[in-house]
Amino acid sequence: KTPSLTTDCVVRDNEKRVLLVRRKSEPAKGGFALPGGFVDIGETVEAACRREVLEETGITVGALHLVGVYSDPRRDPRGHNVSIAYTARVAGSPQPRAGSDAEAAMWIEDWRSLDLGFDHAWIIADAAKIESR
């Protein structure tokens, strides 16, 4: 038995806001999180990342930049999930629309004021270090 593979994406708009979803299901039901999810068999992690962002927010992302690999066995209460996290920029500020397992999708300026699910605050902070280079 091995860990499950997931992906998360830190998407920013022209105003440097972060795209977050309000989760429709457990874990962290009703809480905020990055768009992301499980990689399907036969799918690249990059394709999964773009698919999950589109499914959960209705927003299409292009170029992805690797943020890191997050593998703490306790990062997800459902079990050991390893996430490959990316960051992406979108032109303008397209209007997100919730889909898939997201109750809502929105651009958030002050994400630090929210209690984010999983290790997503850490991922966003790591992405900010990369984006500032």
Side-chain angles (χ1 to χ4, degrees):
K1 190 170 178 174
T2 63
S4 296
L5 184 60
T6 64
T7 184
D8 293 299
C9 196
V10 179
V11 182
R12 292 193 193 270
D13 67 359
N14 282 353
E15 298 174 38
K16 298 186 179 178
R17 297 178 299 176
V18 177
L19 182 61
L20 295 176
V21 297
R22 186 179 295 277
R23 292 184 51 82
K24 192 187 293 185
S25 343
E26 293 296 349
K29 181 179 180 177
F32 287 96
L34 292 168
F38 292 94
V39 178
D40 293 336
I41 298 295
E43 183 178 42
T44 67
V45 176
E46 295 83 1
C49 185
R50 289 184 184 97
R51 174 182 54 77
E52 287 288 346
V53 172
L54 182 61
E55 286 177 0
E56 293 183 0
T57 71
I59 292 179
T60 301
V61 294
L64 298 172
H65 303 281
L66 181 66
V67 174
V69 177
Y70 297 82
S71 63
D72 185 332
R74 297 162 304 200
R75 67 179 299 274
D76 189 323
R78 295 171 290 192
H80 190 180
N81 294 318
V82 175
S83 181
I84 312 297
Y86 292 93
T87 185
R89 287 249 187 214
V90 294
S93 296
Q95 184 62 42
R97 66 184 190 309
S100 184
D101 57 352
E103 181 179 290
M106 64 206 73
W107 294 107
I108 301 290
E109 188 172 337
D110 184 17
W111 60 268
R112 287 177 182 87
S113 67
L114 302 173
D115 183 23
L116 299 179
F118 312 100
D119 52 3
H120 291 183
W122 184 15
I123 293 172
I124 296 170
D126 286 352
K129 292 174 197 169
I130 292 166
E131 295 163 347
S132 67
R133 291 183 198 162

